[in-house]
Amino acid sequence: MSFNDNVQLDPSQVQDRRGMGRGAKVGGGIGGGLILLIAALLGVNPQLLEGLAGGAGQEPQTQGTAAAACKAGTDADARVDCRIIGTVNSLNAFWPAYLQQYNVQYPQPETVIFEQGVSTGCGTASSAVGPFYCPTDTTAYFDPGFFQELVDRFGSSGGPLAQEYVVAHEFGHHIQNVLGNLDQAQQDPQGPESGAVRVELQADCYAGLWAKHASTQPGPDGQPFLEALTQQDLNDALSAASAVGDDRIQEAATGRVSPEAWTHGSSEQRQRWFYTGYETGDINRCDTFSAPNL
């Protein structure tokens, strides 16, 4: 899913903290249980998260190299960090306009690009966690290196929409936070029909919903950020969704599938719910909590 060449990017919507190191530990978070449930697009080793209690304040907010390099759609097509910025710009244009029809206000989340590790309102996280959303500071966090891991370790086909899907999924958690559904992951943390799985599949559906409208929703200059989606784009996004299914990760890691330990849903479920959002373009069809069969 390529960007329109002349569309103007807004790097101010993304903090670039690369080169700052891991930073100080953060107190006052929401606890290790919930951050593990909402953090990554895949199962996370608890040892990869540190400092979930105690410590000093958050890292200072600064703008790094991305602010100078990411100006237009051509930059988003050429660079992963600029693609994150462009996708964030598109999401921040789409969601307030879409939610307005339901009389829901969209508080714009923060977004951070980092490397190695980062301090957040939910604790200090290693890059190995993958992309995550922290509801305490309403911020989505991305290490651009994850997108190569998605291909090398998890077998995704790659491609722009595969990466954009990841960003849109984390913003889906922000929408759940706004609508009051996100905490269901903590209340029912694992299993094939659990609240955690339903939260993740709904975020996949919200990502598909954005993909449906991304090429027609105008940005601030009246031009959509993204060009029309192709079948190859859709295949790339579905490949990424499949790559981070609980069953696929478990089988690769242990040689067996254990649905009772699922927290994100199977490869088939993640593909199907993304496609439901994309095919219908209707947030009401993303109600995984009422679905009798996931």
Side-chain angles (χ1 to χ4, degrees):
M1 200 170 189
S2 300
F3 283 77
N4 286 308
D5 289 349
N6 296 323
V7 70
Q8 296 302 298
L9 304 185
D10 180 5
S12 71
Q13 293 184 6
V14 178
Q15 301 171 37
D16 188 350
R17 297 189 192 172
R18 288 174 294 179
M20 297 180 63
R22 183 160 298 181
K25 294 183 179 181
V26 178
I30 54 174
L34 182 54
I35 186 64
L36 285 173
L37 292 172
I38 64 173
L41 289 170
L42 50 134
V44 177
N45 183 333
Q47 295 178 349
L48 299 177
L49 286 171
E50 304 172 323
L52 288 167
Q58 291 182 310
E59 298 167 343
Q61 297 182 4
T62 63
Q63 278 295 95
T65 58
C70 304
K71 300 296 187 183
T74 51
D75 301 318
D77 286 336
R79 292 176 50 139
V80 174
D81 52 359
C82 297
R83 189 170 301 126
I84 293 171
I85 289 172
T87 306
V88 167
N89 292 165
S90 176
L91 287 156
N92 283 333
F94 164 69
W95 277 114
Y98 187 87
L99 292 175
Q100 187 176 27
Q101 65 185 303
Y102 298 102
N103 296 318
V104 174
Q105 291 189 335
Y106 173 79
Q108 184 171 296
E110 299 290 337
T111 303
V112 169
I113 295 175
F114 72 98
E115 60 184 1
Q116 298 183 356
V118 66
S119 293
T120 82
C122 298
T124 302
S126 160
S127 289
V129 167
F132 63 96
Y133 171 75
C134 172
T136 301
D137 58 17
T138 61
T139 301
Y141 293 87
F142 302 96
D143 182 339
F146 170 80
F147 297 112
Q148 193 59 47
E149 288 283 298
L150 192 62
V151 175
D152 295 343
R153 284 187 61 195
F154 301 103
S156 170
S157 65
L161 191 58
Q163 299 171 1
E164 293 153 12
Y165 150 74
V166 172
V167 179
H169 174 97
E170 298 309 331
F171 268 61
H173 287 317
H174 179 64
I175 299 303
Q176 291 171 318
N177 195 26
V178 170
L179 298 178
N181 297 325
L182 186 59
D183 64 350
Q184 297 200 40
Q186 186 180 32
Q187 296 169 8
D188 184 13
Q190 65 180 20
E193 301 286 331
S194 65
V197 167
R198 293 176 188 272
V199 162
E200 295 299 333
L201 295 180
Q202 186 176 65
D204 284 335
C205 191
Y206 287 172
L209 177 63
W210 162 80
K212 173 74 170 180
H213 298 286
S215 63
T216 57
Q217 175 63 49
D221 64 356
Q223 179 181 196
F225 285 94
L226 289 145
E227 296 178 350
L229 184 149
T230 68
Q231 185 60 49
Q232 183 59 54
D233 290 328
L234 184 59
N235 292 345
D236 288 338
L238 292 172
S239 175
S242 174
V244 290
D246 281 325
D247 54 340
R248 184 165 175 174
I249 293 172
Q250 287 177 338
E251 189 165 15
T254 67
R256 61 188 295 266
V257 175
S258 304
E260 67 276 5
W262 286 2
T263 58
H264 289 68
S266 70
S267 293
E268 186 276 333
Q269 288 171 327
R270 301 200 70 168
Q271 287 182 308
R272 179 158 44 84
W273 280 99
F274 172 86
Y275 193 75
T276 295
Y278 169 72
E279 185 178 41
T280 67
D282 182 358
I283 197 170
N284 296 301
R285 298 291 295 274
C286 294
D287 185 5
T288 56
F289 300 102
S290 298
N293 299 304
L294 293 176

